[in-house]
Amino acid sequence: MSETTRELPFREIPAEQHPLLMVANGVDSTTALREAADLEDAVRRLLVIGTETGIDGSLAYLCEFALEIAGALRRSTEGD
């Protein structure tokens, strides 16, 4: 793990052939990993609620998007 994040584009938009979002360079890795863990925890909580009440497409999209962000945050802390 590096001490700070490295710039990492993500959320590729195929029609645009360009990423929509990017993790910023230079953010403390501990902060980025904490944010990733918080997003993953929120997704777990939403999925528990969803299993009890049903998951609609919007909730599923939100969960997938949050997990993509969390993954990008984690990858941005990995060394070369």
Side-chain angles (χ1 to χ4, degrees):
M1 178 178 82
S2 62
E3 293 182 28
T4 61
T5 58
R6 62 182 167 82
E7 186 176 286
L8 181 73
F10 69 102
R11 195 65 175 184
E12 188 72 30
I13 306 298
E16 305 263 342
Q17 296 182 342
H18 191 63
L20 178 63
L21 301 170
M22 184 178 306
V23 176
N25 186 47
V27 175
D28 187 270
S29 289
T30 303
T31 301
L33 292 172
R34 185 178 57 244
E35 290 293 317
D38 288 347
L39 281 168
E40 291 161 345
D41 182 60
V43 167
R44 279 191 290 278
R45 291 171 187 260
L46 285 172
L47 292 175
V48 166
I49 292 168
T51 58
E52 296 169 357
T53 62
I55 298 176
D56 69 9
S58 295
L59 181 57
Y61 172 83
L62 178 63
C63 289
E64 183 272 329
F65 193 33
L67 290 176
E68 185 175 353
I69 295 167
L73 288 168
R74 289 187 185 284
R75 287 191 312 280
S76 76
T77 67
E78 297 170 355
D80 295 327

